[in-house]
């Protein structure tokens, strides 16, 4: 499939480009990420934030975050926005339930991303009582592979315990798997494992070179394996046993609409915002700090959302280097914002990786 795009798909891409322009114009906020802690009980080899059990940066007080949320509430329908708590490991905080209750009282849905280490039955029950409506669990393959990536011998056991709690909880969820050369060959068997556990939603991603993964080539798939991953996802989607998708990293040529539910379009700063641990306002918390738009400790979050984010909404600045003459620019707009470094240079291009070794 590679970079070959059928006429029918090109027409659909053109239509989606028009839809994206409307999304940019309206920039309705749909998702707000909050980096509520940088503390973590794991030491993962690919961590983009380089989180530790003890962080030099203290957790943001809940009341500070809620004050920022309150600047949004008069201007939108809270029922149309989901607030996702990220870290670090969210459950390192003891006040998540209190935060969840406060968000629910304001009318917002809320969820979290977790590694599952602390998600036992009692904690799951208290989170559900606090109104948690969605959860994402990290699970990176079978025991040996998962524990190697997470660098903890109990990580797989605890993540599977969390998986079993989540699948019977009745809330929206997905399992997210980091694909590396180490677990690539067992994805099919791992898919069967997830299906056997009752898992309904599985999202796969590949590592981009930041944080601890910046200089570790052993974590990167080859061009051939990357294409094989796309084929695996496309086949799994057609099988229909589990809702499988690829992450939102960039344009994928002929694989567009085959490995995700929609065509690629980076929604950071268009429908998604993020608040970092220090109060910085971003398109999402995975994006480099040089793209921050303000700070909740000195700016009004709603005003920032409506008056800034120019580099997110007009990507012409990114039409440089390998993107300058790319025939797919109008469909891609320079990949996901999280793939740009501190110098506003593209770290890597997924389409280029699909084309390598062809």
């Amino acid at each position: 499939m590679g970079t070959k795009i059928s006429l029918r798909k090109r027409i659909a891409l053109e239509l989606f480009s028009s839809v994206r322009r409307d999304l940019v114009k309206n920039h309705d906020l749909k998702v707000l990420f909050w980096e509520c802690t940088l503390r973590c009980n794991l030491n993962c080899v690919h961590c983009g934030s380089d989180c530790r059990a003890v962080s030099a940066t203290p957790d943001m007080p809940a009341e500070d975050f809620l004050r920022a949320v309150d600047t949004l509430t008069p201007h939108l329908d809270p029922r149309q926005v989901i607030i996702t708590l990220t870290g670090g490991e969210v459950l390192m905080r003891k006040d998540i339930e209190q935060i969840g209750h406060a968000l629910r009282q304001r009318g917002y849905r809320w969820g979290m991303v977790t590694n599952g280490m602390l998600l036992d039955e009692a904690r799951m029950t208290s989170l559900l009582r606090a109104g948690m409506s969605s959860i994402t669990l990290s699970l990176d393959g079978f025991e040996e592979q998962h524990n190697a990536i997470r660098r903890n011998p109990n990580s797989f056991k605890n993540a599977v315990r969390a998986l079993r709690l989540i699948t019977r909880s009745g809330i929206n969820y997905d399992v997210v798997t980091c694909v590396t050369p180490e677990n690539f060959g067992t994805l099919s068997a791992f898919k069967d494992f997830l299906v056997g556990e009752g898992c309904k939603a599985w999202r796969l991603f590949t590592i981009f070179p930041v944080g601890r993964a910046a200089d570790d080539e052993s974590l990167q798939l080859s061009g051939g394996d990357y294409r094989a991953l796309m084929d695996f996802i496309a086949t799994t989607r057609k099988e229909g046993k589990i809702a499988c998708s690829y992450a939102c990293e960039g344009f994928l040529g002929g694989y567009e609409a085959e490995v995700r539910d929609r065509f690629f379009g980076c929604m950071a700063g268009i429908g998604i915002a993020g608040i970092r641990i220090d109060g910085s306002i971003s398109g999402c918390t995975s994006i480099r700090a040089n793209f921050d738009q303000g700070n909740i400790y000195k700016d009004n979050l709603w005003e920032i959302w409506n008056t800034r984010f120019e580099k997110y909404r007009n990507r012409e600045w990114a039409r440089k280097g390998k993107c300058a003459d790319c025939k797919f620019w109008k469909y891609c707009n320079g990949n996901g914002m999280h793939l740009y470094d501190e110098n506003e240079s593209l770290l890597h291009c997924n389409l280029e990786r699909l084309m390598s070794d062809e």
Side-chain angles (χ1 to χ4, degrees):
M1 201 173 294
T3 58
K4 297 179 177 62
I5 304 177
S6 67
L7 176 60
R8 181 179 180 182
K9 189 169 290 185
R10 284 182 183 273
I11 293 171
L13 283 164
E14 292 288 347
L15 291 172
F16 182 74
S17 295
S18 177
V19 170
R20 186 182 185 279
R21 287 192 291 271
D22 288 339
L23 291 172
V24 170
K25 179 181 178 181
N26 296 327
H27 54 267
D28 295 324
L29 183 62
K30 297 297 184 183
V31 180
L32 176 63
F33 288 103
W34 177 32
E35 186 180 60
C36 66
T37 183
L38 286 182
R39 292 179 293 141
C40 190
N41 46 13
L42 293 178
N43 186 29
C44 306
V45 297
H46 62 297
C47 181
S49 301
D50 198 20
C51 297
R52 310 280 177 177
V54 178
S55 173
T57 305
D59 294 352
M60 180 187 290
E63 56 268 26
D64 295 354
F65 173 68
L66 292 170
R67 274 196 300 270
V69 170
D70 287 340
T71 70
L72 304 174
T73 307
H75 306 285
L76 47 72
D77 182 353
R79 295 170 299 178
Q80 301 302 313
V81 180
I82 184 161
I83 295 176
T84 301
L85 281 54
T86 69
E89 169 51 43
V90 172
L91 293 178
M92 294 286 282
R93 291 188 65 134
K94 304 299 184 184
D95 59 351
I96 296 301
E97 288 84 351
Q98 289 85 353
I99 294 166
H101 277 299
L103 291 173
R104 275 298 193 183
Q105 288 174 350
R106 288 162 168 80
Y108 292 93
R109 294 171 296 145
W110 69 277
M112 69 169 65
V113 180
T114 181
N115 60 34
M117 288 289 287
L118 299 174
L119 190 60
D120 58 17
E121 189 164 3
R123 194 75 196 268
M124 187 68 176
T125 298
S126 67
L127 290 167
L128 293 173
R129 286 175 177 168
M132 182 176 68
S133 61
S134 65
I135 190 167
T136 292
L137 174 70
S138 297
L139 186 53
D140 298 317
F142 292 112
E143 186 167 13
E144 181 178 357
Q145 299 152 344
H146 178 85
N147 288 349
I149 290 176
R150 302 291 165 172
R151 296 200 283 204
N152 185 298
N154 296 313
S155 180
F156 179 80
K157 175 184 68 177
N158 290 342
V160 171
R161 176 189 65 191
L163 173 66
R164 291 168 180 166
L165 291 169
I166 290 167
T167 56
R168 66 173 189 252
S169 68
I171 63 174
N172 292 327
Y173 70 89
D174 64 354
V175 168
V176 62
T177 296
C178 170
V179 181
T180 70
E182 289 299 314
N183 64 8
F184 173 73
T186 61
L187 285 179
S188 182
F190 188 60
K191 173 194 68 178
D192 293 340
F193 167 78
L194 291 176
V195 171
E197 289 289 341
C199 181
K200 303 297 184 183
W202 186 29
R203 181 160 41 100
L204 297 96
F205 73 99
T206 47
I207 294 172
F208 52 97
V210 298
R212 295 178 193 150
D215 302 310
D216 192 345
E217 289 293 327
S218 70
L219 298 174
Q220 303 292 331
L221 296 182
S222 68
D225 283 350
Y226 190 65
R227 289 191 297 277
L229 173 61
M230 297 300 113
D231 290 334
F232 169 78
I233 295 173
T235 299
T236 299
R237 288 169 65 85
K238 290 176 182 176
E239 288 176 348
K241 296 178 181 178
I242 188 170
C244 183
S245 64
Y246 182 61
C248 58
E249 291 189 8
F251 182 72
L252 299 170
Y255 289 105
E256 284 296 311
E258 308 295 332
V259 298
R260 291 184 287 237
D261 293 339
R262 54 177 286 173
F263 291 117
F264 170 72
C266 181
M267 292 295 108
I270 298 172
I272 299 171
I275 298 176
R276 300 188 196 280
I277 191 75
D278 64 354
S280 297
I281 301 167
S282 180
C284 88
T285 54
S286 296
I287 297 171
R288 308 289 81 72
N290 51 299
F291 292 105
D292 289 347
Q293 300 297 298
N295 192 291
I296 64 167
Y297 289 110
K298 61 183 181 66
D299 298 305
N300 180 289
L301 178 58
W302 176 252
E303 291 179 2
I304 294 298
W305 177 252
N306 280 289
T307 62
R308 300 191 191 175
F309 287 93
E310 174 65 16
K311 285 195 171 181
Y312 291 82
R313 296 169 187 172
N314 182 352
R315 298 290 295 278
E316 283 299 316
W317 61 268
R319 198 193 287 243
K320 59 186 179 182
K322 65 182 66 175
C323 295
D325 300 313
C326 180
K327 63 182 179 180
F328 298 112
W329 167 264
K330 61 182 176 179
Y331 307 138
C332 176
N333 283 270
N335 287 273
M337 288 287 290
H338 63 282
L339 294 178
Y340 284 83
D341 65 15
E342 292 78 3
N343 300 312
E344 298 187 3
S345 298
L346 186 63
L347 290 166
H348 82 140
C349 171
N350 289 35
L351 186 62
E352 185 178 54
R353 180 155 51 165
L354 285 171
M355 295 168 61
S356 66
D357 301 328
E358 280 191 341

